Amino acid sequence: MQAQKKKTIRYHHGDLQNALIAATLDLITEQGNEAFTIREVARRAGVSHTAPYRHFTDKAALLAVVARQGFDMLVEHLLTRIANFPDDPLMRFKYSGIAYIEFAVDHPAHYRVMFGPDKSGSRENAAVRKSADTAFQILLDCIEACQAGGLIRPGNSMEMALSAWSMVHGFSMLLIDRFVRETPTPGQDLADMMSLVTDSLYFGLKTEKTD
Amino acid sequence: MQAQKKKTIRYHHGDLQNALIAATLDLITEQGNEAFTIREVARRAGVSHTAPYRHFTDKAALLAVVARQGFDMLVEHLLTRIANFPDDPLMRFKYSGIAYIEFAVDHPAHYRVMFGPDKSGSRENAAVRKSADTAFQILLDCIEACQAGGLIRPGNSMEMALSAWSMVHGFSMLLIDRFVRETPTPGQDLADMMSLVTDSLYFGLKTEKTD
DNA sequence: TTATAGTGTTGACAATGTCAACATTTTAAT
DNA sequence: ATTAAAATGTTGACATTGTCAACACTATAA
């Protein structure tokens, strides 16, 4: 019953908050992270340059919301990807890592907002923290499932998850920041490299005594 | 014979280029990365706000030099640290990783400049690239030495070095961006965590069949 | 119906990156 | 040594930005 929106030009936008978030996403996706400006976002939403301040205390607050949204998207992607292997803990572990890297590569600007420098304490933002923790928890669950199945050696799963996170995060950053461009060995594609990195984590680099 | 500097106030600074680099380092170290502005750096060097443009084409060019310097410092720290183990390839490998993390933690602002978003192609800067490659080469050498000694399994050392780099880079970033703050298990300190992460890489997470 | 809270707008301010025009100094060619 | 040119600095301008204060419109609740 509350239809007839968007028809008339109104003083009140109606849903400016979300429009600003969407505009921010579009902007960073199209033009990269440095292009993000309160004023440009306002322009894209068709409002005056200070209208955003009615919904976000400052630039960092807007970015914090975008970051939270990014972690939520990451969680969704991880869950979708490992859902393909309901009964194979090892594949779930491996593909949680691969899916993580996929997300970073597919949404580099968004990823950079999520992990970018914490200018003004948005990292302390409870909502952001919670969404990030949820993503971490997925990794942790995969590892513990593997441990339960005797596939990963017993030990502090938290520490292992931290190592795993470091690995996929580092690799993702190196990729999207263009420190790694060509594949180490010619003919490899991104999928191969992702396997390679996740396998390194699982098998380690030590000489194998058996198997 | 060319002494008597700094005494008189001169129109020409004398060594503005290096003064600007030093001022940049001081600034980001004291106030963080966001505090870096051309004008503030100029102020600190005691010159007008456009003087830096006689030495650097723009902001990014100054940062590129700082980044290169950072990689050089990193190389030095890595070499110093592994020099303690001239005859133990495995320790050299391990401590190259630990030293890497140490550097990032000790110089977070500098590290962020080195790996920060590549706004305007400074990553393509040949000098920066070369210094970064030198650092990578150290890792690679350590791995190949271990392989020669049968301590790391045979295989593509480039790929292994990439995995190792991902691991220490990711861990460093998580640390300095405050995603990891408390230790996973209480009572641990940073040194323990660094060992933990580098050991994960070496041993992997897989169940050990032997040893 | 109207006071009030919510939402937008206009107009300011200081700071920034960078450009153009001009000044001084150093260097090199004569 | 003189002087033309190349280096190096300065002043002043411009457009852009984040953010604040003052004001305008709108929705809502008393």
Side-chain angles (χ1 to χ4, degrees):
Chain A
M1 297 316 179
Q2 46 183 346
Q4 60 86 250
K5 290 184 177 180
K6 320 219 168 187
K7 302 266 177 167
T8 58
I9 296 169
R10 324 192 320 195
Y11 191 85
H12 284 87
H13 180 286
D15 191 16
L16 185 54
Q17 171 131 9
N18 287 321
L20 292 170
I21 296 170
T24 300
L25 250 182
D26 287 352
L27 182 56
I28 64 177
T29 300
E30 289 167 21
Q31 321 238 29
N33 255 339
E34 315 289 338
F36 166 68
T37 301
I38 286 273
R39 290 171 103 113
E40 176 59 22
V41 163
R43 252 170 249 134
R44 288 181 172 228
V47 294
S48 74
H49 62 259
T50 56
Y53 287 88
R54 297 293 159 201
H55 300 275
F56 304 97
T57 63
D58 59 8
K59 213 181 161 183
L62 212 188
L63 283 182
V65 174
V66 172
R68 186 184 53 67
Q69 205 189 46
F71 281 112
D72 291 341
M73 288 167 59
L74 171 61
V75 165
E76 201 187 322
H77 183 63
L78 293 179
L79 291 178
T80 301
R81 215 70 168 74
I82 66 179
N84 294 327
F85 312 97
D87 303 318
D88 188 336
L90 191 54
M91 285 298 269
R92 287 170 72 85
F93 172 55
K94 171 165 179 165
Y95 273 82
S96 65
I98 288 182
Y100 188 100
I101 300 168
E102 283 172 345
F103 178 86
V105 171
D106 287 344
H107 310 283
H110 212 145
Y111 193 80
R112 264 194 275 258
V113 172
M114 292 156 62
F115 287 96
D118 186 17
K119 181 149 61 176
S120 41
S122 55
R123 186 110 333 134
E124 315 304 329
N125 182 319
V128 178
R129 200 100 206 161
K130 189 176 164 225
S131 291
D133 284 350
T134 302
F136 183 74
Q137 189 64 44
I138 294 174
L139 246 176
L140 196 60
D141 289 346
C142 286
I143 286 176
E144 290 178 351
C146 285
Q147 283 180 318
L151 299 161
I152 282 184
R153 64 162 189 272
N156 189 322
S157 57
M158 202 70 159
E159 297 175 353
M160 293 179 178
L162 179 56
S163 295
W165 189 19
S166 296
M167 177 78 97
V168 293
H169 177 57
F171 186 60
S172 298
M173 292 294 263
L174 292 177
L175 278 176
I176 70 182
D177 283 338
R178 305 229 159 234
F179 271 91
V180 174
R181 273 133 81 213
E182 298 104 27
T183 52
T185 55
Q188 274 179 328
D189 62 3
L190 187 59
D192 291 330
M193 290 178 72
M194 293 189 300
S195 267
L196 201 143
V197 167
T198 52
D199 284 352
S200 282
L201 178 69
Y202 178 64
F203 292 108
L205 302 181
K206 188 183 55 159
T207 305
E208 299 187 70
K209 302 269 177 59
T210 71
D211 169 62
Chain B
M1 298 314 183
Q2 45 184 347
Q4 61 87 243
K5 292 185 175 180
K6 321 219 170 189
K7 303 262 177 168
T8 58
I9 295 170
R10 324 190 323 192
Y11 191 83
H12 284 87
H13 180 286
D15 192 16
L16 185 52
Q17 173 132 6
N18 287 322
L20 291 170
I21 296 169
T24 300
L25 251 181
D26 287 352
L27 182 56
I28 64 178
T29 300
E30 289 167 19
Q31 319 240 29
N33 254 328
E34 315 289 339
F36 166 69
T37 57
I38 287 273
R39 291 169 102 114
E40 176 59 23
V41 164
R43 251 169 249 134
R44 287 178 172 229
V47 293
S48 74
H49 61 261
T50 57
Y53 287 90
R54 298 292 158 202
H55 300 273
F56 305 96
T57 64
D58 59 7
K59 213 182 162 183
L62 211 186
L63 283 183
V65 175
V66 173
R68 185 184 55 66
Q69 205 189 47
F71 281 111
D72 291 341
M73 288 166 59
L74 172 60
V75 165
E76 201 187 322
H77 184 62
L78 293 180
L79 291 178
T80 301
R81 215 71 167 73
I82 67 179
N84 294 327
F85 312 98
D87 303 318
D88 188 337
L90 192 53
M91 284 300 268
R92 287 170 73 85
F93 172 56
K94 171 164 179 164
Y95 272 81
S96 66
I98 288 181
Y100 188 101
I101 300 167
E102 283 172 344
F103 178 85
V105 170
D106 286 345
H107 310 282
H110 213 147
Y111 193 80
R112 263 194 276 259
V113 171
M114 294 157 61
F115 287 97
D118 185 18
K119 180 147 63 177
S120 40
S122 55
R123 185 113 331 134
E124 316 304 328
N125 183 318
V128 178
R129 197 103 206 159
K130 187 174 164 230
S131 291
D133 284 349
T134 302
F136 183 74
Q137 188 65 42
I138 294 175
L139 246 177
L140 195 60
D141 290 345
C142 287
I143 286 177
E144 290 178 352
C146 285
Q147 284 181 319
L151 299 162
I152 280 184
R153 63 162 192 269
N156 188 319
S157 58
M158 202 69 160
E159 296 175 354
M160 292 178 179
L162 178 57
S163 295
W165 190 18
S166 295
M167 178 77 99
V168 292
H169 176 57
F171 186 60
S172 298
M173 291 294 262
L174 291 176
L175 277 176
I176 70 183
D177 283 337
R178 307 229 159 233
F179 270 92
V180 174
R181 271 135 81 215
E182 298 106 26
T183 52
T185 56
Q188 274 178 328
D189 61 3
L190 187 58
D192 292 330
M193 290 178 73
M194 294 190 298
S195 266
L196 200 144
V197 166
T198 53
D199 285 351
S200 283
L201 177 68
Y202 177 65
F203 291 108
L205 301 181
K206 188 183 56 157
T207 304
E208 299 187 70
K209 302 271 177 58
T210 71
D211 171 61

